[in-house]
Amino acid sequence: MLTNANQSEAAVEAFQKAIAADPNYADAYYQYGVSLVSKASFGADGKVTPVPGTVEALQKYLALAPDGQFAQPAKDMLTTLGTSVDVSYKNPNAKETTTKKKK
């Protein structure tokens, strides 16, 4: 609601509190990242310079929810920001699997 009411500072604070309360709340990272994207600056060369924390928030969303409802928009924003998209999430609870090479 704060984002839709153009209260971006209050929205950023709310997303930070949500993340602090639950560090695994993927959607809070996404919304936090989106809020920070709106604060990016654009250079004369057209390069987008995100504020600190933007890329990290979007990457964290993708780490927590690689197939989440906002995965593609997060990847698109990261691409626009000129960063690589890292989707190599490894579930810490998953059992190790080994694959045999075919000869």
Side-chain angles (χ1 to χ4, degrees), residues 8-92:
S8 61
E9 290 301 320
V12 165
E13 289 176 23
F15 296 131
Q16 288 173 324
K17 287 179 183 179
I19 291 166
D22 182 0
N24 294 315
Y25 185 20
D27 287 359
Y29 285 99
Y30 175 77
Q31 295 298 336
Y32 177 57
V34 170
S35 294
L36 294 178
V37 164
S38 69
K39 298 173 180 279
S41 61
F42 299 88
D45 59 356
K47 184 176 179 185
V48 179
T49 304
V51 297
T54 306
V55 170
E56 295 81 2
L58 295 170
Q59 290 283 16
K60 182 67 175 184
Y61 170 78
L62 289 170
L64 292 170
D67 297 320
Q69 65 177 336
F70 302 117
Q72 192 57 54
K75 291 175 188 176
D76 294 343
M77 280 185 266
L78 288 168
T79 300
T80 300
L81 296 172
T83 62
S84 60
V85 177
D86 180 11
V87 293
S88 60
Y89 173 72
K90 190 171 190 178
N91 183 342

